[in-house]
Amino acid sequence: MGLKKLFINTIGCQMNVYDSGQIQSRLAPLGYEPTDNLAIADVIILNTCAIRAKAEQKAFSFLGRLLPLKETKPELIIAMGGCVAQQEGQKVLSRMPHVDLVFGTHAIRRLPQLIQRIAATRCRIVDIEMAATISADDFTPSHPGLSSDVSAFVTIMRGCDNYCTYCVVPYVRGREASRTPDEIVSEIEHLVDHGVREVTLLGQNVNSYGQKEGFCNFAQLLDRVNRIKDLVRIRFTTSHPKDLSEELMLAFNRLEKLCPHIHLPVQSGADAVLKRMNRRYNRQQYLDKIGLLRTIHPDIAITSDIIVGFPGETEEEFEDTMSLIDQVGFDGLFAFIYSDRPNAPAVRFENKIDEAIKKERLQKVLICQEAFTRKKNRALTGSIQEILVDGLSKHLNYISEDRPTHDGKDGMQWSGRTGTNKIVHFMQEAPADAWNQMLTGRTMEIMIEKAMSHSLWGRPLS
Ligand code: 5AD
Ligand code: SF4
């Protein structure tokens, strides 16, 4: 039996990226190897995101475009997984007659049997069963072929119990549940054995890791991960401000592998909006946590998420968000226009904000943040930063536009990240092949020479 080809399209967050890796690992034993050529695929899997309406539309339009392919190749198996699959279930099959399988966020471990059944009997299946706890075989070690990267994601928990009123996650990812510390540590050890040097621990709210199950807490888990030999860097996301403990803040000082960066979504700067969002902290409590973080670790980079145009958001409430952005001075910000989600309670809230006003508010946030991002980047010029090299620069065109001339010499452009998660590009005067093995995955000292709007430019010191 020859090898069969698997095409996966991933939309959405890092957790979906991790899940797509799990899908690939599950199907490899069946003889499926990845391809990025749709035309030769035997199985096409779309891993979907339901966080905003746009992501959901993107999923259906991708599936729609597969119809001609299916018509010429009826044995092709087309599957939709992830959050939209969980949310829509059976409806996907009625809407998309050429789709064979809809599998939810808890069904990945059953994927091999589902695919085999469809291949054998050409039936159509919906599997959106969810479980309240994680069972031992819900996760599988990542397929070694996948781990050639320097940096990898590791899901440490799934689901969410917070029920922010705008958010679909609790409905499509289920109840919060944590993986055991042993399982997490052994997965990371496996990744490190295959060349990974940096892991990002993933969960909707990592600060409540292990609480339900009575495992160790998140700070204690970080202690264990910090002891893994040959692992160089640890990152994590996402933290809910209400659960960010002082113990975790202190970990930034105690653990040498933990990168000095925290993503702490605030969503709004107005108390009344935070209340309507069910965030369970207020503006002052958020600012107090930022203050404490910076007292404990003055150089820590802080990034956040903002939603503009939440139902009922008045001009004053929006101004409170603007003033919070000003007051904190984030290193980076992801700003989103509020999007109505079926299931999420805010869909029924009154006083929806006009699209034009939402767009205007988004622009204001983006412009304000742009200045902070540039200022934070500029502050690093002249400093020496330790970076972990990812590999050759992927954005050569962008860089060549505003890159300073580098002594007139030529070489290859490389990129890496600082502990604070800023992208640094640099030149290395040697053929790519020879250096690839030597530089990728290494830490290097870089003298920062120029700050650009979204990255830094520097010169290697060694
Ligand atoms: N509309 C807009 N943005 C949303 N987010 C979550 N739900 C919605 C929604 N319905 C944003 C939040 C969250 C990020 C991952 O996506 O800011 O932190
Ligand atoms: Fe959604 Fe809130 Fe849970 Fe984050 S904490 S996943 S925003 S419900």
Side-chain angles (χ1 to χ4, degrees):
M1 187 181 65
L3 276 179
K4 289 166 285 181
K5 300 287 184 194
L6 170 67
F7 180 100
I8 306 181
N9 179 5
T10 310
I11 302 174
C13 67
Q14 295 128 321
M15 206 160 283
N16 268 10
V17 174
Y18 178 84
D19 285 350
S20 288
Q22 290 279 303
I23 289 170
Q24 201 172 314
S25 302
R26 292 280 180 191
L27 295 183
L30 263 56
Y32 285 98
E33 71 168 18
T35 176
D36 47 20
N37 180 358
L38 264 179
I40 64 164
D42 300 289
V43 171
I44 298 175
I45 293 182
L46 174 65
N47 196 0
T48 59
C49 169
I51 200 93
R52 285 170 288 274
K54 246 198 202 139
E56 189 175 326
Q57 286 151 12
K58 199 164 144 191
F60 282 107
S61 77
F62 175 82
L63 286 180
R65 287 198 303 277
L66 295 181
L67 183 60
L69 194 60
K70 177 82 168 190
E71 280 168 349
T72 60
K73 198 174 165 184
E75 71 282 8
L76 171 68
I77 295 176
I78 300 179
M80 183 204 249
C83 296
V84 178
Q86 188 68 51
Q87 177 185 281
E88 299 298 304
Q90 187 67 39
K91 279 187 260 171
V92 180
L93 292 192
S94 339
R95 186 169 161 188
M96 299 267 149
H98 58 297
V99 170
D100 303 284
L101 169 65
V102 178
F103 64 101
T105 54
H106 292 195
I108 294 174
R109 71 181 159 109
R110 295 185 290 273
L111 207 49
Q113 298 90 288
L114 295 169
I115 297 279
Q116 279 174 319
R117 245 172 76 201
I118 293 170
T121 68
R122 296 311 313 184
C123 58
R124 302 173 81 203
I125 306 177
V126 175
D127 180 347
I128 51 171
E129 213 175 288
M130 287 213 256
T133 54
I134 291 178
S135 62
D137 58 350
D138 269 336
F139 291 84
T140 185
S142 341
H143 192 245
L146 275 176
S147 327
S148 52
D149 289 339
V150 173
S151 184
F153 298 124
V154 174
T155 291
I156 63 165
M157 56 204 296
R158 72 176 179 200
C160 183
D161 290 346
N162 285 308
Y163 295 97
C164 302
T165 54
Y166 51 81
C167 188
V168 74
V169 168
Y171 311 95
V172 294
R173 294 241 171 215
R175 296 290 54 73
E176 185 179 300
S178 298
R179 298 176 69 190
T180 66
D182 285 347
E183 234 183 280
I184 294 165
V185 167
S186 77
E187 177 163 341
I188 299 172
E189 284 169 345
H190 174 81
L191 289 167
V192 170
D193 280 347
H194 288 92
V196 166
R197 291 293 167 263
E198 174 183 89
V199 289
T200 304
L201 308 180
L202 300 178
Q204 301 299 340
N205 179 17
V206 293
N207 305 109
S208 61
Y209 170 81
Q211 294 314 286
K212 259 185 171 174
E213 290 83 0
F215 299 154
C216 63
N217 68 25
F218 184 57
Q220 292 161 336
L221 177 71
L222 286 173
D223 270 302
R224 282 197 59 181
V225 176
N226 193 65
R227 288 199 294 271
I228 296 175
K229 200 175 155 278
D230 294 331
L231 179 67
V232 176
R233 284 181 168 182
I234 308 167
R235 300 181 185 280
F236 62 83
T237 196
T238 292
S239 300
H240 194 303
K242 78 174 162 59
D243 298 315
L244 174 59
S245 66
E246 195 170 333
E247 185 187 2
L248 179 56
M249 296 186 200
L250 289 166
F252 284 107
N253 283 351
R254 193 177 67 244
L255 305 175
E256 74 284 0
K257 296 181 183 176
L258 185 59
C259 291
H261 167 224
I262 188 163
H263 184 63
L264 200 61
V266 64
Q267 314 298 0
S268 167
D271 286 346
V273 175
L274 289 170
K275 193 155 200 138
R276 296 204 294 280
M277 287 177 164
N278 190 32
R279 291 292 287 177
R280 286 174 285 169
Y281 54 83
N282 61 31
R283 177 191 176 100
Q284 194 52 50
Q285 287 165 331
Y286 183 85
L287 290 172
D288 289 346
K289 297 228 170 172
I290 298 286
L292 190 53
L293 268 168
R294 285 180 168 156
T295 306
I296 289 173
H297 199 103
D299 295 330
I300 195 162
I302 303 172
T303 55
S304 197
D305 292 343
I306 295 278
I307 296 177
V308 298
F310 187 75
E313 184 187 65
T314 63
E315 206 49 53
E316 292 74 46
E317 286 167 345
F318 172 67
E319 284 307 323
D320 286 343
T321 296
M322 291 295 286
S323 77
L324 180 127
I325 295 171
D326 232 36
Q327 208 170 330
V328 175
F330 293 108
D331 289 77
L333 198 58
F334 298 94
F336 306 102
I337 284 180
Y338 168 77
S339 169
D340 259 341
R341 304 314 295 134
N343 297 327
V347 75
R348 293 181 301 273
F349 288 9
E350 287 172 8
N351 302 319
K352 294 283 162 60
I353 307 298
D354 191 78
E355 280 306 312
I357 293 176
K358 287 200 268 191
K359 283 190 180 139
E360 229 170 76
R361 289 179 182 173
L362 179 71
Q363 278 314 309
K364 284 186 184 161
V365 167
L366 294 178
I367 289 167
C368 172
Q369 181 54 38
E370 185 72 31
F372 277 107
T373 308
R374 237 179 296 125
K375 194 170 132 200
K376 296 262 172 188
N377 281 351
R378 239 185 274 130
L380 294 178
T381 54
S383 73
I384 295 168
Q385 298 287 321
E386 186 181 83
I387 66 158
L388 179 67
V389 181
D390 298 324
L392 286 169
S393 292
K394 290 192 184 85
H395 305 289
L396 293 174
N397 293 336
Y398 164 70
I399 287 304
S400 59
E401 276 168 26
D402 58 355
R403 155 190 128 195
T405 48
H406 201 263
D407 303 329
K409 292 181 199 140
D410 227 354
M412 295 305 289
Q413 268 178 38
W414 295 82
S415 71
R417 280 173 192 267
T418 64
T420 50
N421 211 25
K422 298 186 198 299
I423 299 168
V424 178
H425 298 280
F426 63 96
M427 291 287 266
Q428 190 59 257
E429 297 141 32
D433 286 350
W435 283 90
N436 195 14
Q437 303 257 322
M438 292 164 69
L439 285 190
T440 302
R442 283 269 201 98
T443 51
M444 287 177 87
E445 304 265 284
I446 305 277
M447 165 64 80
I448 304 299
E449 294 179 329
K450 188 180 171 178
M452 293 162 295
S453 39
H454 296 102
S455 60
L456 301 163
W457 178 264
R459 175 170 50 85
L461 289 184
S462 43

